[in-house]
Amino acid sequence: MAKVNISLDAELVVEVMVLAGIGSPQDAIEAVVRDYIARGHRTEARTELKDQNLRELDVKPQEPQG
């Protein structure tokens, strides 16, 4: 797996480590990134399901009114 080196504010990293209860800066940041990605996938799944339900409503013929 390719690795990327970046510089981050030390206070941010320490805060992530404390909040996540992770002792390694590398592991703490990886956990945050993985959580962010997982959250994005969950959001995509929910909105896709909602869009699919809306499309099904549009396809069903409406009853005559009046």
Side-chain angles (χ1 to χ4, degrees), residues 14-23 27-29 31-32:
V14 170
E15 189 161 349
V16 168
M17 291 170 62
V18 170
L19 289 172
I22 299 174
D27 292 344
I29 298 305
V32 169

Side-chain angles (χ1 to χ4, degrees), residues 13-52:
V13 176
V14 170
E15 189 161 349
V16 168
M17 291 170 62
V18 170
L19 289 172
I22 299 174
S24 161
Q26 176 77 30
D27 292 344
I29 298 305
E30 283 185 15
V32 169
V33 172
R34 289 180 192 280
D35 180 64
Y36 182 82
I37 291 168
R39 186 176 301 176
H41 289 302
R42 289 191 304 267
T43 300
E44 286 174 1
R46 281 195 309 252
T47 56
E48 182 178 321
L49 183 60
K50 184 177 179 181
D51 288 346
Q52 197 172 38

Side-chain angles (χ1 to χ4, degrees), residues 3-9 13 26 29 33:
K3 299 285 183 177
V4 176
N5 292 319
I6 58 172
S7 297
L8 295 172
D9 182 82
V13 176
Q26 176 77 30
I29 298 305
V33 172

